[in-house]
């Protein structure tokens, strides 16, 4: 399998998971949170899936197609380890779908970032909300779901947030 | 159709055309010429399709995955409008497959570049050789072929070089 093959497979899995997530949260109010804008392709897909929801975007530096730049009031510029903490007051318990795909090209770095930001993302989710992520994330309250369309487990990752009785 | 959809569709078309080109030149000796390395994904695919052929690569500046950088002796660094002219002595009539995909993100710029380099690429092709290109190219001796797998015409482009009786 070439890098071209695996890239196509990854994009197809990403799209299938986002489309599935849209079905899963069809009846659930709430915002969308895109963690990483990149060139804006996935943001554009989210915009089409969710024309009536606010889509907040965390990004370090804008490098997207000009027509894929979110409105300023929905953009959280900076390191997401900082901006997600600041976003908590605004977004706690309000996010119906979050999508995390650091796509650093460095598997270890992506995993490390995901482990760092998972505890910042989960409190933003509504009960019943969905987290779509690559890489995989293990965190209290996140329940892994089967992928759509016969995708092999782990190709991408789809979680439902099941509200926990907090021990805090 | 989102930018994610159209990007996936484009990559799938690219791969299908390269795979088809590999079948078309199966019996034809000759080198491969990749015009633009980018991140090296397509080069990696070509490497897998053609493990026994030389794959020459034109690129302005290397920005590929470290394991997708061609060997120095097959790399033509610089503006391809210059390097292709210099390559003529080495490669004239020796290339069985050339692949052009400037992927500048700017359709007009890609078309303009393709129009400029077409006259530099075609003399390198062997009779019966194949040019896979996005954007489309119109040039003497290039015969457009049907795309594989039911791809709509123009989604990507596949040409066979039919040697012409030169009027020069």
């Amino acid at each position: 399998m070439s890098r071209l093959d695996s890239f196509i497979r990854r994009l197809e899995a990403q799209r299938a998971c986002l489309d599935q997530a849209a079905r899963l949260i069809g009846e659930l109010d709430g915002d969308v949170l895109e963690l990483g804008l990149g060139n804006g392709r996935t943001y554009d897909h989210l915009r089409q899936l969710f024309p009536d929801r606010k889509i907040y975007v965390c990004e370090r530096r804008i490098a997207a197609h000009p027509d894929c730049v979110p409105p300023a009031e929905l953009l959280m510029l900076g390191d997401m380890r900082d901006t997600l903490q600041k976003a908590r007051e605004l977004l706690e318990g309000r996010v119906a779908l979050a999508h995390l795909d650091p796509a650093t090209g460095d598997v270890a770095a992506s995993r490390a970032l995901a482990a760092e930001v998972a505890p910042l993302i989960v409190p933003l989710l509504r009960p019943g909300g969905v987290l779509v992520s690559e890489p995989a994330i293990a965190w209290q309250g996140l329940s892994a779901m089967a992928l759509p369309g016969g995708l092999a487990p782990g190709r991408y990752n789809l979680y439902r947030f099941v509200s926990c009785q907090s021990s805090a």
Side-chain angles (χ1 to χ4, degrees), chain A:
Chain A
M1 168 165 290
S2 70
R3 279 182 178 269
L4 180 62
D5 291 322
S6 72
F7 185 58
I8 291 173
R9 201 173 72 164
R10 186 178 194 286
L11 291 172
E12 289 170 337
Q14 181 193 69
R15 176 174 61 180
C17 286
L18 293 174
D19 292 354
Q20 175 76 345
R23 289 186 286 270
L24 290 169
I25 65 162
E27 302 297 313
L28 183 71
D29 283 341
D31 300 327
V32 173
L33 178 59
E34 169 72 328
L35 298 147
L37 178 64
N39 50 46
R41 276 193 296 259
T42 309
Y43 171 69
D44 189 50
H45 199 72
L46 291 171
R47 262 193 319 204
Q48 297 202 10
L49 287 175
F50 306 107
D52 299 321
R53 298 186 194 247
K54 284 184 185 169
I55 306 176
Y56 290 90
V57 176
C58 289
E59 180 57 298
R60 192 184 290 267
R61 270 185 312 277
I62 298 295
H65 296 287
D67 62 353
C68 294
V69 175
E73 68 274 18
L74 300 179
L75 189 55
M76 299 187 273
L77 268 182
D79 188 311
M80 68 174 79
R81 288 165 291 200
D82 301 325
T83 54
L84 283 173
Q85 272 168 340
K86 293 180 198 146
R88 187 149 174 178
E89 197 174 338
L90 175 68
L91 291 180
E92 184 160 24
R94 288 187 42 191
V95 171
L97 169 65
H99 173 233
L100 173 67
D101 187 343
T104 60
D106 175 337
V107 174
S110 289
R111 282 191 190 145
L113 178 64
E116 271 192 275
V117 297
L120 305 174
I121 297 168
V122 173
L124 308 183
L125 293 172
R126 300 196 57 171
V130 169
L131 171 61
V132 175
S133 174
E134 162 50 32
I137 287 180
W139 195 257
Q140 189 185 24
L142 291 181
S143 170
M145 305 181 75
L147 302 188
L151 287 172
R155 185 69 47 83
Y156 219 81
N157 304 281
L158 193 59
Y159 304 96
R160 192 140 213 170
F161 176 53
V162 184
S163 183
C164 313
Q165 272 131 2
S166 173
S167 59

